[in-house]
Amino acid sequence: MPPPADIVKVAIEWPGANAQLIEMDQKRALSSIIREVCDGWSLSGSEQFALRYADGPQLYITEQSRGEIKNGTILRLAISPARAARQLLERIQSHGIDARLEALKELAKLSADPTFAAEFINMEGIGTLARLVESGTHFGEMLAFTLTAFLELMDHGIVSWDLISLSFIKQIAGYVNQPMVDVSILQRSLAILESMVLNSHSLYHRVAQEITVGQLIGHLSNQEIQTYAIALINALFLKAPEDRRQEMASTLAQKHLRSIILNHVIRGNRPIKAEMAHQLYVLQVLTFNLLEERMMTKMDPNDQAQRDIIFELRRIAFDGENDPTGTEKRKAMYTKDYKMLGFTNHVNPAMDFTQTPPGMLALDNMLYLAKVHQDTYIRIVLENSSREDKHECPFGRCAIELTRMLCEILQVGELPNEGCNDYHPMFFTHDRAWEEFFCVCIQLLNKTWKEMRATAEDFNKVMQVVREQITRALAMKPSSLDQLKNKLRGLNYSEILRLRQSERMSQDDFQSPPIIELRERIQPEILELIKQQRLNRLCEGSCFRKLGNRRRQEKFWFCRLSLNHKVLHYGDLDESPQGEVPFELLSDKIPVSDIKSVVTGKDCPHMKEKSALKQNKEVLELAFSVLYDPDETLNFVAPNKYEYCIWTDGLCALLGREMGSDLTRSDLDTLISMEMKLRLLDLENITIPEAPPPVPKEPSSYNFTYNYS
């Protein structure tokens, strides 16, 4: 007979004694259980003790977290969090160097526990650590452990960063500015400054006064602290006022940040890890966001300086043609030239730049092409002006729409996504990467227009093809603009048609009535197959990254469903796992019977608490939470859309609710099509009226095996 659900069999250890094997009744008060355990070892003062996990992060067990204990767990009797905090605080303030160092080591480890952190903070522990740093008397290991503990304690969000003193900031900034500082101290100092900037508007200004970009760039040659330095640069960039960002960008350009990152990071002798990839992506996004002001600036048709830019475009394209003396003749000639340049408004082309986006950014791109790549610009304009009217590619209109498209593809003006690592190495190979990217793409557009033999009516079709060419090429991650050109040459219009046809053929979307009837007939069993596949994937489990202010620590946790589909097991990991994680390593659990609901997006508790930076569209799309009794939540942010759909669909199937993700529908269509392929090979019971005869069934040389996972 199975034991009651409220009884958990565990082993409890105590140094120098044999372990106690007990049956823990989850209905009993935790203090009563601890008292019984203490009596077993003749220990007095049970209120001074607590239980902790013996493995993993060794977190304290509380009344709120005790429900996560599972059968076979090994626990350890330890002094209570309050007693541990009091003892460590006393030892940290002692005069013995060795005793103080050992206390700081233990504190750095225990500070990750939220229960201990709350007790230590209530005893003014953070103030004590801050004073130790401000005194300037700690060095080496002792200072490193002090900074680690401080950062761990602040990361719990119990205390506001605004309480940090100016002298503390100056001391931390001093470690960053000193030429010879231990790497571990420098890493923690940079991380603390980054957290200050991201979590407090007032502290941003203080940090910005103490730290210069030039000092941070100087640290990029050290591979151990590159990620921390770029993260702080990004934080300062992100929180800078609008009027300071352009100034900061100019300083970064003068300090050759781009070339330093290219040579020491992207082309360095070490592989780029996930956190560095994220920081490069953030820097890329913030750099492109500098274009937002021009992108959202409308052209003023009455501004002569802006109109002169259009005159310059005309002059470069048609240089050598003498202006007629008469005003009327000059207007007529300008109108003709503006038509040849491909503007929509031939009389006053300034009106073409009054829509935002792309606003004045499109005109900036056109002027850059005309001045820096003058031969290319003249060739495109004159080549199209000599074609028949119906086949000419309107340069002006194309440049404006292409600029708008590139802004959409690169998400100009949007905040960085917390979990994204999608940086493009080629944008770090040129000081004017945006403009050069435009120049490559406008030539692609002109080439594709010719290959499609397009007319004005085909404009939108051409732009769709060009978008597909660009997005496919970017997905290949070219390392330079020259590689981008090579990728685009291989993605000509014929190749795009071939890829589209291949993708359509793989979908096999038949529309005849018998096929539709067959789809409806097999859909229930395919849907059930998808549900089983989702549940099987939940049993395999997935790794999730913990979101926090200090991403570079790469904290992970793993969650998987028990094989009998009755318990969700989860636990923290030191690093991203390779393969399946055994149940024994996952110390926490949630009975499926306790799950009340699954919520997504903005309804998730951890999304309501996040800052504006983290509440961007992509993170919201990947967030979901499990709500379970009594009033607890387990919060997720999936690594990608596929894992999001796997888990939300699987949890819904687990709770007996309808799955509804886009990926489920896509999987459903794919699986139905695959199943139909199998069944259509044998059409004995299906008659397709007025249709060509089916392809004869091949001999047994075909063996159809489909992996639904």
Side-chain angles (χ1 to χ4, degrees):
M1 181 176 178
D6 294 323
I7 302 298
V8 182
K9 295 182 178 180
V10 299
I12 302 179
E13 300 176 338
W14 176 254
N18 293 328
Q20 295 187 36
L21 303 178
I22 69 169
E23 292 186 352
M24 181 183 290
D25 187 350
Q26 295 287 44
K27 292 181 178 180
R28 286 178 61 192
L30 193 58
S31 58
S32 174
I33 296 173
I34 294 174
R35 187 184 309 113
E36 182 180 306
V37 171
C38 289
D39 291 343
W41 283 314
S42 301
L43 299 174
S44 60
S46 62
E47 67 278 358
Q48 297 293 318
F49 292 92
L51 293 177
R52 293 171 59 185
Y53 289 100
D55 301 320
Q58 301 183 4
L59 299 178
Y60 279 102
I61 295 169
T62 64
E63 289 289 356
Q64 292 73 32
S65 64
R66 63 182 295 182
E68 300 165 0
I69 302 174
K70 62 181 181 180
N71 280 320
T73 300
I74 300 176
L75 305 179
R76 179 174 296 155
L77 186 67
I79 60 174
S80 67
R83 184 180 174 190
R86 191 179 308 108
Q87 289 182 357
L88 285 176
L89 200 55
E90 292 172 355
R91 290 163 59 192
I92 289 170
Q93 295 171 318
S94 69
H95 298 291
I97 299 296
D98 293 339
R100 189 181 300 177
L101 177 59
E102 290 303 315
L104 287 169
K105 282 184 180 179
E106 189 173 349
L107 177 63
K109 181 180 178 181
L110 282 176
S111 294
D113 188 299
T115 308
F116 170 86
E119 295 288 349
F120 190 80
I121 291 171
N122 287 337
M123 298 176 186
E124 303 296 331
I126 285 184
T128 301
L129 295 180
R131 286 190 292 273
L132 290 176
V133 174
E134 292 169 9
S135 68
T137 58
H138 285 59
F139 305 97
E141 267 192 314
M142 191 173 292
L143 178 58
F145 286 120
T146 303
L147 296 178
T148 300
F150 179 87
L151 197 52
E152 289 284 0
L153 292 167
M154 293 299 296
D155 196 38
H156 292 291
I158 300 172
V159 178
S160 171
W161 282 91
D162 288 315
L163 300 177
I164 303 301
S165 68
L166 181 58
S167 59
F168 181 87
I169 297 173
K170 287 181 176 292
Q171 191 67 38
I172 296 295
Y175 298 136
V176 175
N177 296 335
Q178 290 177 17
M180 299 295 293
V181 178
D182 185 76
V183 169
S184 60
I185 295 174
L186 191 53
Q187 288 176 341
R188 288 154 178 79
S189 298
L190 289 166
I192 289 173
L193 292 173
E194 182 202 358
S195 292
M196 288 180 184
V197 171
L198 291 177
N199 289 281
S200 171
H201 179 71
S202 61
L203 290 185
Y204 157 76
H205 293 285
R206 294 181 180 179
V207 173
Q209 291 172 356
E210 301 293 332
I211 298 292
T212 66
V213 172
Q215 291 164 336
L216 295 176
I217 291 177
H219 290 304
L220 293 180
S221 58
N222 188 333
Q223 294 181 334
E224 299 297 326
I225 56 176
Q226 287 173 340
T227 305
Y228 296 84
I230 295 178
L232 181 52
I233 291 174
N234 286 337
L236 291 168
F237 209 155
L238 181 68
K239 293 298 182 177
E242 293 293 336
D243 56 343
R244 283 272 300 134
R245 289 185 186 175
Q246 291 290 348
E247 179 183 340
M248 186 175 176
S250 299
T251 304
L252 293 174
Q254 293 171 7
K255 298 292 184 179
H256 307 291
L257 173 65
R258 179 199 60 77
S259 58
I260 292 173
I261 289 177
L262 181 66
N263 295 325
H264 290 280
V265 180
I266 297 177
R267 294 177 179 173
N269 55 7
R270 296 175 64 178
I272 295 179
K273 296 183 179 180
E275 173 57 26
M276 175 59 82
H278 172 73
Q279 295 300 339
L280 293 176
Y281 153 78
V282 172
L283 182 59
Q284 171 186 294
V285 171
L286 296 177
T287 302
F288 283 146
N289 281 357
L290 294 173
L291 304 169
E292 183 180 12
E293 182 180 356
R294 295 292 284 175
M295 180 183 76
M296 300 307 295
T297 300
K298 297 181 180 181
M299 185 172 187
D300 183 359
N302 299 318
D303 188 323
Q304 187 59 43
Q306 295 180 359
R307 292 170 62 88
D308 287 344
I309 299 176
I310 298 178
F311 293 152
E312 182 69 3
L313 290 174
R314 177 202 162 278
R315 185 195 65 77
I316 295 174
F318 306 111
D319 187 33
E321 297 184 12
N322 295 323
D323 285 356
T325 56
T327 303
E328 293 299 324
K329 289 184 179 180
R330 186 161 54 248
K331 286 184 178 180
M333 188 185 74
Y334 282 4
T335 300
K336 177 184 175 183
D337 290 347
Y338 291 146
K339 181 180 179 182
M340 293 172 66
L341 279 170
F343 290 112
T344 302
N345 192 319
H346 307 151
V347 177
N348 186 5
M351 300 302 296
D352 287 14
F353 300 95
T354 56
Q355 291 188 358
T356 57
M360 291 295 290
L361 184 59
L363 189 58
D364 295 342
N365 286 341
M366 295 166 70
L367 184 62
Y368 181 88
L369 175 67
K371 286 191 170 183
V372 179
H373 300 280
Q374 193 171 114
D375 292 342
T376 300
Y377 168 69
I378 294 174
R379 176 179 56 79
I380 291 175
V381 173
L382 297 183
E383 185 180 86
N384 284 289
S385 63
S386 62
R387 293 182 190 167
E388 300 178 32
D389 283 348
K390 67 176 183 177
H391 286 296
E392 65 181 9
C393 178
F395 168 74
R397 183 184 177 192
C398 288
I400 293 170
E401 289 301 316
L402 177 63
T403 302
R404 190 200 317 273
M405 178 196 298
L406 297 183
C407 289
E408 293 173 357
I409 292 174
L410 297 177
Q411 299 178 332
V412 175
E414 296 188 16
L415 287 173
N417 174 22
E418 171 73 11
C420 185
N421 302 333
D422 189 24
Y423 81 99
H424 296 280
M426 70 176 183
F427 291 130
F428 292 87
T429 62
H430 201 285
D431 288 329
R432 303 294 295 272
W434 166 265
E435 291 86 350
E436 289 293 324
F437 183 47
F438 168 83
C439 293
V440 171
C441 293
I442 193 68
Q443 295 178 72
L444 168 72
L445 196 158
N446 188 58
K447 175 174 172 287
T448 302
W449 187 284
K450 290 189 291 185
E451 291 173 349
M452 294 178 66
R453 297 186 57 80
T455 62
E457 289 77 15
D458 301 319
F459 184 86
N460 291 333
K461 294 180 181 178
V462 175
M463 296 306 294
Q464 290 173 3
V465 173
V466 171
R467 177 187 282 270
E468 188 171 346
Q469 290 171 313
I470 294 171
T471 53
R472 286 181 183 271
L474 287 177
M476 300 177 191
K477 298 291 183 183
S479 60
S480 66
L481 289 165
D482 287 336
Q483 275 200 17
L484 174 67
K485 294 176 185 177
N486 292 333
K487 302 293 184 186
L488 291 173
R489 274 195 287 270
L491 288 169
N492 55 33
Y493 179 54
S494 299
E495 177 65 11
I496 293 296
L497 289 179
R498 188 192 69 78
L499 290 171
R500 287 179 173 179
Q501 180 67 18
S502 175
E503 291 167 359
R504 277 198 299 267
M505 291 295 292
S506 65
Q507 294 173 1
D508 282 336
D509 188 17
F510 303 110
Q511 296 299 326
S512 59
I515 300 302
I516 293 175
E517 180 183 347
L518 179 58
R519 283 177 64 89
E520 294 175 351
R521 188 186 308 168
I522 66 176
Q523 180 165 330
E525 66 180 81
I526 297 296
L527 188 58
E528 182 60 31
L529 182 63
I530 292 177
K531 288 182 179 180
Q532 292 303 318
Q533 182 264 350
R534 294 288 195 263
L535 292 174
N536 290 340
R537 279 286 289 107
L538 263 61
C539 291
E540 295 173 9
S542 298
C543 179
F544 301 90
R545 184 175 54 78
K546 283 193 170 184
L547 294 183
N549 295 328
R550 295 174 286 114
R551 291 172 38 83
R552 68 195 54 75
Q553 290 191 356
E554 290 296 321
K555 292 184 178 180
F556 300 92
W557 66 287
F558 197 89
C559 186
R560 62 182 297 194
L561 179 65
S562 63
L563 299 180
N564 62 3
H565 298 177
K566 292 189 176 182
V567 180
L568 276 179
H569 296 272
Y570 66 97
D572 293 338
L573 302 175
D574 293 332
E575 57 184 17
S576 182
Q578 301 296 324
E580 192 174 278
V581 176
F583 288 108
E584 307 85 64
L585 298 181
L586 304 177
S587 58
D588 305 314
K589 67 180 181 180
I590 301 173
V592 172
S593 58
D594 288 349
I595 297 177
K596 295 186 289 188
S597 64
V598 177
V599 296
T600 60
K602 294 181 179 179
D603 296 328
C604 297
H606 59 312
M607 289 296 104
K608 296 175 182 177
E609 299 170 357
K610 294 294 181 182
S611 64
L613 169 61
K614 298 173 183 175
Q615 276 191 358
N616 56 66
K617 181 180 177 182
E618 294 191 33
V619 171
L620 286 174
E621 289 178 348
L622 297 176
F624 60 100
S625 298
V626 172
L627 309 184
Y628 62 98
D629 288 331
D631 288 309
E632 302 291 331
T633 62
L634 184 62
N635 299 318
F636 301 75
V637 175
N640 50 54
K641 188 67 175 176
Y642 178 76
E643 288 292 331
Y644 170 85
C645 293
I646 287 288
W647 276 86
T648 53
D649 284 348
L651 291 169
C652 287
L654 199 62
L655 301 177
R657 299 169 188 172
E658 182 181 357
M659 300 184 297
S661 72
D662 294 337
L663 187 60
T664 297
R665 300 303 153 209
S666 174
D667 285 356
L668 180 62
D669 290 341
T670 302
L671 286 172
I672 288 177
S673 297
M674 289 162 46
E675 181 72 11
M676 287 169 62
K677 286 180 183 177
L678 291 171
R679 298 196 182 188
L680 288 175
L681 289 173
D682 185 1
L683 300 175
E684 296 176 355
N685 299 322
I686 300 178
T687 302
I688 302 179
E690 301 180 2
V695 178
K697 185 175 181 180
E698 289 287 326
S700 58
S701 59
Y702 285 96
N703 179 20
F704 290 91
T705 303
Y706 294 97
N707 183 0
Y708 293 109
S709 63

